[in-house]
Amino acid sequence: MAHNTHPAETERRILDSARRLFSEKGYEKTSIQDILNDLGLSKGGLYHHFKSKEAILDQLNADEWTATAHLLDELIDRNDLSALEKLRTLIISAVDAPAHLDLVRSQLALLKDPAFFTANMRFWSTGLPKSFRSLIDMGVQDGSIPTTYPEEAAQLLSLLGNYWLMPCFYPADRAGMEHRIRCLATMLDAISVPIFDETVILRAIKGLTALMPEEGTASA
Amino acid sequence: MAHNTHPAETERRILDSARRLFSEKGYEKTSIQDILNDLGLSKGGLYHHFKSKEAILDQLNADEWTATAHLLDELIDRNDLSALEKLRTLIISAVDAPAHLDLVRSQLALLKDPAFFTANMRFWSTGLPKSFRSLIDMGVQDGSIPTTYPEEAAQLLSLLGNYWLMPCFYPADRAGMEHRIRCLATMLDAISVPIFDETVILRAIKGLTALMPEEGTASA
């Protein structure tokens, strides 16, 4: 069934298939052959684009960050939202966007790999806070985020949002997850970073609950 | 000069020498030969006790946790301190005890190794919070730590104290370090875990500043 039109089209089909299979079967249990069968593609046709299964995941990650960076750029340019509302929109898209959650789910098994885990932690501690910092600084300017701890808030949003809130690292049931999110909301309020209003709290509970092992299996 | 008395005595001398050399020269730059030269010991005499430099560090780590566990047991048994005061005593011993800081400093280079880093993160997220939790629960009982977030506080004390506060992971100058510690104090106060009073804050600044790359070299 491989109607090979353009290389870019083939690459997109491989990525779409891989994202779906990683999400449905898990990264570890998905083989290159599964992707080939799904697409009716030859081995050579795939290896022309990606040298390994890990390279496919790397590209899905890169695409995801590109999408997040685009969303961030779009948000920064909008005049109808305060910086606080922009930050809330960004957080909601991270915790409750199906495509993003599928990607996170596909990474869960891989995060047990020390090299992959260490690289992610490094990005969460040094790279990602810069994106949060730019929005928080805008909030200090427009008065919607009147914190005296902009750098600390940027670091903690990235570290706690990507690590501490994740049920794969800190297991919890739904009630435990809600308790944890409300704890974070209270602490961020205390440093005048009131991102977690009731809407964001409920969206975060929904999104993070969907990442729990049982929930993930049940909904797949 | 190897006056070999008892095996236990030799092992203690190796560990004392290694702790001092790791602290002064750094773990990476300390060789087994340096330790042999320092003690006037033969290669066989050392390898009888430790099969590698990493095994020596592992034992220093194990001894350190044994010491912390002893301190925790002693604190739990004391009747003259509230649970809050016990927790403050534990925190101060972690951030401002020379022997502990020497050990942490000797680990800094090693924490760049993905396997060592991942193992430490796992202990900080799953093992260490249990120790904090026992003291926090006592504080909920005696009223000195009136939090509704005992598990969250235990997890965050462990994660933020061992990772976020560390200048090797999140570089900062002295003023930045003070700002970060005061941010953590404000957030913990907000969930009724008032561990960081002015005394603990000042001791934490002193201890963590001593772990900065420049400070560490200057004081060595």
Side-chain angles (χ1 to χ4, degrees):
Chain A
M1 310 285 165
H3 302 289
N4 203 339
T5 50
H6 296 283
E9 167 68 10
T10 305
E11 189 172 316
R12 196 193 55 72
R13 289 177 64 226
I14 294 169
L15 290 171
D16 286 347
S17 168
R19 185 187 294 111
R20 190 171 51 74
L21 289 169
F22 289 172
S23 163
E24 286 175 9
K25 298 166 62 104
Y27 175 82
E28 298 290 353
K29 287 183 185 150
T30 301
S31 66
I32 290 281
Q33 192 58 51
D34 290 333
I35 299 170
L36 298 178
N37 293 346
D38 184 49
L39 296 173
L41 202 67
S42 72
K43 223 165 215 175
L46 187 143
Y47 283 109
H48 175 69
H49 294 281
F50 299 101
K51 67 180 201 304
S52 65
K53 193 171 71 162
E54 195 170 356
I56 297 176
L57 186 67
D58 284 346
Q59 188 58 50
L60 287 173
N61 272 329
D63 289 354
E64 179 63 23
W65 287 120
T66 304
T68 304
H70 275 163
L71 176 61
L72 183 66
D73 286 343
E74 278 176 26
L75 284 170
I76 285 176
D77 285 343
R78 281 177 67 171
N79 295 320
D80 59 324
L81 297 176
S82 71
L84 178 62
E85 289 165 327
K86 292 176 183 183
L87 196 49
R88 283 179 180 154
T89 306
L90 190 68
I91 300 279
I92 287 176
S93 85
V95 294
D96 197 15
H100 182 76
L101 289 179
D102 280 352
L103 183 75
V104 172
R105 205 177 285 118
S106 70
Q107 286 186 338
L108 293 184
L110 207 59
L111 278 169
K112 285 177 189 152
D113 175 70
F116 189 82
F117 173 73
T118 302
N120 270 271
M121 287 299 291
R122 196 168 299 135
F123 177 69
W124 296 335
S125 68
T126 58
L128 189 56
K130 294 191 187 85
S131 301
F132 286 119
R133 181 68 198 266
S134 61
L135 277 180
I136 293 172
D137 283 345
M138 289 175 71
V140 172
Q141 286 286 322
D142 74 15
S144 62
I145 307 176
T147 187
T148 53
Y149 296 107
E151 181 63 17
E152 290 76 10
Q155 292 171 351
L156 290 171
L157 275 176
S158 177
L159 172 61
L160 300 181
N162 285 290
Y163 185 65
W164 183 53
L165 288 189
M166 289 308 212
C168 59
F169 298 120
Y170 288 86
D173 59 13
R174 194 191 175 286
M177 190 56 69
E178 172 165 359
H179 206 61
R180 194 183 297 166
I181 292 166
R182 291 194 182 278
C183 178
L184 180 58
T186 303
M187 293 192 306
L188 289 174
D189 284 350
I191 57 167
S192 303
V193 181
I195 300 172
F196 283 82
D197 63 1
E198 207 53 31
T199 304
V200 176
I201 288 174
L202 294 177
R203 297 286 288 271
I205 294 168
K206 177 167 170 276
L208 291 166
T209 304
L211 290 177
M212 289 175 188
E214 327 81 76
E215 300 281 338
T217 315
S219 72
Chain B
M1 310 287 164
H3 302 288
N4 204 339
T5 49
H6 296 284
E9 167 68 10
T10 305
E11 188 172 316
R12 195 192 56 72
R13 288 177 65 224
I14 293 169
L15 290 171
D16 286 346
S17 168
R19 185 187 295 110
R20 190 170 51 73
L21 288 169
F22 290 171
S23 166
E24 286 175 7
K25 301 166 59 105
Y27 176 81
E28 299 291 353
K29 288 182 185 151
T30 302
S31 65
I32 290 281
Q33 191 59 52
D34 291 332
I35 300 171
L36 299 179
N37 292 347
D38 183 50
L39 297 174
L41 202 68
S42 71
K43 222 165 215 174
L46 188 144
Y47 283 110
H48 176 68
H49 294 280
F50 298 103
K51 69 181 199 307
S52 65
K53 192 171 74 163
E54 196 170 353
I56 297 175
L57 187 66
D58 284 347
Q59 189 57 49
L60 287 174
N61 272 329
D63 289 354
E64 178 64 22
W65 287 121
T66 303
T68 303
H70 276 163
L71 176 61
L72 184 65
D73 286 342
E74 277 176 26
L75 283 170
I76 284 176
D77 286 342
R78 281 178 66 170
N79 295 320
D80 58 324
L81 297 177
S82 71
L84 178 62
E85 289 164 329
K86 292 175 184 182
L87 196 48
R88 283 179 179 154
T89 305
L90 190 68
I91 301 279
I92 286 176
S93 85
V95 294
D96 196 16
H100 183 75
L101 290 179
D102 280 351
L103 183 75
V104 172
R105 204 177 286 118
S106 72
Q107 285 186 339
L108 294 184
L110 206 59
L111 278 169
K112 287 178 187 150
D113 176 71
F116 189 82
F117 173 74
T118 302
N120 270 271
M121 287 299 291
R122 195 167 299 133
F123 177 69
W124 296 334
S125 68
T126 58
L128 188 57
K130 294 191 186 87
S131 299
F132 287 119
R133 180 69 198 266
S134 61
L135 277 180
I136 293 172
D137 282 346
M138 289 174 72
V140 172
Q141 287 285 324
D142 73 16
S144 62
I145 307 176
T147 187
T148 52
Y149 295 108
E151 181 61 16
E152 290 76 9
Q155 291 172 350
L156 289 171
L157 275 177
S158 177
L159 172 61
L160 299 181
N162 285 290
Y163 185 63
W164 184 54
L165 288 188
M166 287 309 209
C168 60
F169 298 120
Y170 289 86
D173 58 14
R174 193 190 176 286
M177 190 55 71
E178 172 165 1
H179 207 61
R180 194 183 297 164
I181 292 165
R182 290 193 183 278
C183 177
L184 180 58
T186 303
M187 294 191 306
L188 289 174
D189 284 350
I191 57 168
S192 303
V193 181
I195 300 172
F196 282 82
D197 63 0
E198 209 52 33
T199 304
V200 176
I201 288 173
L202 294 178
R203 298 286 288 268
I205 294 169
K206 176 166 171 274
L208 291 166
T209 304
L211 290 177
M212 290 176 188
E214 329 81 76
E215 300 280 339
T217 315
S219 73

